[in-house]
Amino acid sequence: MPGTRLLDVGEETVICSAKGCREPAGFALVWNNPKLHAPDREKVWTACAEHREPLSHHLALRSFLRRVDPLP
């Protein structure tokens, strides 16, 4: 599942990170894999309302999920 940078998106629509989904994202799932990343590094997947829970669950099962933020 690809990550999406939220910086400098301008007027572009941020798309859900779920495989095959092309819906606009409404949430940022902020995560970190402590085995690979420094503690201060935050990676982001984006999610539409339909995929927020499954993507969050996937990250939480691995203890990667830090928080879910609404997108502006």
Side-chain angles (χ1 to χ4, degrees):
M1 293 181 215
T4 302
R5 287 190 60 119
L6 296 179
L7 304 176
D8 302 324
V9 293
E11 295 297 317
E12 294 179 35
T13 301
V14 179
I15 301 299
C16 179
S17 296
K19 185 176 182 178
C21 186
R22 303 303 303 155
E23 292 297 314
F27 304 93
L29 285 61
V30 182
W31 63 279
N32 174 290
N33 179 343
K35 291 182 180 178
L36 301 176
H37 307 122
D40 61 334
R41 178 154 184 209
E42 291 187 334
K43 299 195 52 105
V44 177
W45 284 353
T46 55
C48 65
E50 180 181 349
H51 292 112
R52 176 186 175 197
E53 186 61 33
L55 291 175
S56 295
H57 182 71
H58 175 83
L59 292 168
L61 278 175
R62 291 152 180 81
S63 299
F64 294 172
L65 186 63
R66 290 191 168 178
R67 66 183 182 278
V68 177
D69 296 332
L71 290 177

